[in-house]
Amino acid sequence: METNLIIGHTTSTSAKIWTRGDGSAGGMLEVLTDQEQRLGEYPLDFDGLKANSCTVEVVHLAPETTYRVRLRIKGELVGSGRFKTFPNTDSDNGFSFMFSSCLLNRGYVPSKDKVFQNLQKISEATKARFMLHCGDQIYIDTTDKSAPSPPLFDHYLSEYEKNWSLPGAAEFLASNVNYMILDDHEIKNDFDNSTLGLEKYRTLGLDAYEAFQHDHNPDTSDNAYFYSFHYGSVAFFVMDTRAERNSAEGYMLSDAQEKAFLHWLDANASRLKVVVSGVPFIIQVSERVLSREDQWGGKAFAEQRKKLNAAMLEKGARNLFFITGDVHSAVHWTQVLTNTATNEEVMHHEFMAGPLGQVNVNGRWAFVRKGKHTHVHEAEGASWPTEGYSYGYKRKNIYHKQFNACVICISSRQDKYEIKATWYGLQTPLNRKHPKQVMQSEISLPKPM
């Protein structure tokens, strides 16, 4: 087994470092300056119940400073990594980050290792400060046809090892800050808690997800996978749209997560806000091509989506945008919410990226056409404070190939934020100086007065 390091949740003074051992001995994580001056050591106690993984939080660091880490087992150097701490939360300096989703490969181009080599090229070229992995980091239900149904825990572990032990993956994960959230294929395709007979899939899938992904995310309460973090003055809320959902009961977010999201909106009213949703919140697929029942546009989740939209409208949350994955296409859509009592409008944008590697990709034919369903009155007579609202949405650009990742560049001006979304395709050959740009969108969002 190749020993991996993953740089996880980072702040201005700390960073989470994830690794695995072989179960035979503990290890030691050395922390050094970028000039390789030794700062300290952290003992590693590998957890056999979590696939011999271990996560340590390195603390007492300085903001905006580069550090190195080295992993030793039985005194032998077996892995190394590098990261840069975030700025303080009052910093309004511009920055870039990456996101994408859906890493499936069954021998098709691009190979998984080429995927991570491309991501590394993009990160270096754009100076991205972190990567958001928006779901389907493994495909437990489609890659190993020999696995029993439901799969054994070892099958889940094997899929993570296949994806992350390759040289390109090991380099990327150990030299970039990574945030992750699950979607259905970490458990089972279209997983929903209301579907009978999936209890074992859920238990095994979430156990593996915790061991390989969630442990290096920000800390959360027990049995919760949603979380929030800051990069400088920008606030991020990462929704868990999969593990809590129950279509029979009509919700994708539990009461606790919904309350946490609304509290986050209030607590960060004056900040630029980014909402990460594993499935599209604004973007609408065409029912003639794809089912939207697994997404926020599905009938089962319509009421909760209305409630969240009404809350964002009531709170005047204009300085907010969404990012998502899931549908295997690069897309930019907008949503306009209108308070029908006051005619006040709030516009939101959603950017979609992915797949990182997929057989099936979706072009323009897979999405609702521009203008359809514009100004649908969803909330007349609703019980929340606004008397009603309407929404209209507009399709911008669409690009579909077997690989795309998006870089969001945020610049702060005196009265607004300028956000540039640039999608990158597969770069072949990899020795090209600049990654291949395939699509770009630019928006401006107002700063609160």
Side-chain angles (χ1 to χ4, degrees):
M1 181 197 71
E2 184 92 9
T3 301
N4 281 80
L5 284 172
I6 298 178
I7 310 299
H9 172 50
T10 299
T11 71
S12 60
T13 59
S14 66
K16 283 189 171 186
I17 313 296
W18 177 98
T19 189
R20 288 183 73 198
D22 61 7
S24 64
M28 191 68 68
L29 187 76
E30 301 174 349
V31 183
L32 307 94
T33 67
D34 199 29
Q35 293 74 37
E36 301 196 1
Q37 177 185 354
R38 195 165 175 176
L39 298 177
E41 295 180 337
Y42 289 77
L44 302 174
D45 184 13
F46 298 111
D47 188 345
L49 297 178
K50 291 190 173 182
N52 292 317
S53 66
C54 179
T55 300
V56 298
E57 187 168 19
V58 179
V59 295
H60 305 307
L61 305 177
E64 290 275 49
T65 303
T66 300
Y67 294 91
R68 295 178 182 270
V69 288
R70 292 174 179 165
L71 172 63
R72 294 186 184 274
I73 296 179
K74 297 180 180 179
E76 180 184 354
L77 180 64
V78 295
S80 63
R82 189 168 181 262
F83 66 92
K84 186 176 183 179
T85 50
F86 287 3
N88 291 319
T89 55
D90 59 354
S91 171
D92 208 23
N93 294 332
F95 68 100
S96 298
F97 70 91
M98 304 168 60
F99 77 98
S100 196
S101 63
C102 305
L103 178 58
L104 170 67
N105 178 261
R106 291 197 295 260
Y108 294 83
V109 174
S111 71
K112 289 176 182 175
D113 207 37
K114 187 173 288 187
V115 162
F116 283 102
Q117 291 175 49
N118 269 271
L119 290 176
Q120 185 67 19
K121 285 278 188 179
I122 296 167
S123 174
E124 292 171 357
T126 62
K127 299 182 180 179
R129 294 304 305 271
F130 58 89
M131 168 83 177
L132 277 157
H133 305 253
C134 294
D136 296 340
Q137 278 70 256
I138 65 167
Y139 277 72
I140 187 61
D141 49 353
T142 59
T143 49
D144 189 350
K145 297 302 182 182
S146 66
S149 182
L152 302 175
F153 188 61
D154 285 350
H155 287 96
Y156 286 88
L157 304 191
S158 175
E159 288 305 311
Y160 282 107
E161 290 173 354
K162 289 176 186 176
N163 283 10
W164 290 354
S165 63
L166 296 167
E171 178 188 6
F172 180 84
L173 296 170
S175 58
N176 294 271
V177 174
N178 297 274
Y179 290 90
M180 301 183 181
I181 191 64
L182 80 164
D183 199 24
D184 53 337
H185 290 287
E186 274 91 350
I187 305 175
K188 185 174 173 37
N189 186 37
D190 290 347
F191 173 81
D192 188 303
N193 284 295
S194 65
T195 305
L196 298 177
L198 299 184
E199 293 82 3
K200 191 171 183 180
Y201 284 96
R202 186 182 196 278
T203 299
L204 295 175
L206 293 182
D207 283 350
Y209 170 71
E210 288 184 17
F212 281 83
Q213 300 193 59
H214 191 63
D215 272 5
H216 49 79
N217 282 334
D219 292 341
T220 60
S221 59
D222 290 343
N223 302 316
Y225 300 119
F226 63 89
Y227 59 88
S228 60
F229 68 96
H230 289 84
Y231 181 93
S233 63
V234 181
F236 290 78
F237 190 96
V238 181
M239 290 179 168
D240 168 16
T241 58
R242 185 58 58 180
E244 297 180 350
R245 67 164 60 200
N246 189 313
S247 58
E249 298 294 329
Y251 63 84
M252 194 175 293
L253 313 184
S254 65
D255 287 343
Q257 184 174 179
E258 183 181 294
K259 289 176 183 176
F261 176 67
L262 299 180
H263 173 75
W264 174 82
L265 288 176
D266 289 333
N268 296 282
S270 63
R271 298 176 182 268
L272 178 64
K273 294 175 284 296
V274 183
V275 182
V276 183
S277 177
V279 293
F281 187 86
I282 296 172
I283 296 165
Q284 299 281 307
V285 299
S286 171
E287 289 279 33
R288 294 176 300 175
V289 180
L290 299 169
S291 172
R292 69 173 70 123
E293 293 309 308
D294 187 59
Q295 302 164 11
W296 279 107
K299 295 177 183 177
F301 309 113
E303 290 303 314
Q304 186 169 56
R305 181 171 177 266
K306 292 177 194 177
K307 186 176 180 181
L308 297 180
N309 269 334
M312 290 187 288
L313 178 59
E314 178 194 356
K315 297 173 186 298
R318 292 179 176 82
N319 52 343
L320 176 153
F321 65 92
F322 289 82
I323 65 173
T324 190
D326 183 53
V327 188
H328 308 167
S329 195
V331 186
H332 173 200
W333 272 36
T334 60
Q335 163 183 271
V336 177
L337 306 175
T338 306
N339 186 322
T340 54
T342 64
N343 289 325
E344 180 185 11
E345 290 187 346
V346 171
M347 176 182 285
H348 295 139
H349 298 260
E350 184 168 59
F351 303 106
M352 175 187 288
L356 289 173
Q358 252 292 348
V359 180
N360 300 313
V361 292
N362 294 304
R364 295 180 182 276
W365 61 85
F367 299 89
V368 172
R369 293 182 179 277
K370 174 182 173 181
K372 190 175 182 181
H373 303 308
T374 299
H375 297 117
V376 175
H377 288 265
E378 289 193 323
E380 289 186 281
S383 59
W384 45 85
T386 51
E387 292 185 20
Y389 75 91
S390 64
Y391 82 95
Y393 51 80
K394 181 178 180 182
R395 189 177 72 189
K396 298 286 189 181
N397 299 318
I398 294 178
Y399 169 86
H400 65 286
K401 291 292 181 184
Q402 289 177 314
F403 172 94
N404 76 78
C406 184
V407 174
I408 302 288
C409 180
I410 296 173
S411 301
S412 177
R413 301 290 184 256
Q414 184 173 0
D415 60 345
K416 64 183 177 179
Y417 297 99
E418 293 181 351
I419 294 105
K420 179 188 293 185
T422 305
W423 286 262
Y424 293 86
L426 184 66
Q427 178 177 307
T428 305
L430 283 171
N431 60 5
R432 286 181 177 174
K433 186 175 181 180
H434 299 291
K436 178 184 177 183
Q437 295 187 16
V438 295
M439 193 172 84
Q440 193 171 82
S441 288
E442 298 184 35
I443 64 173
S444 295
L445 295 178
K447 284 188 173 180
M449 302 300 293

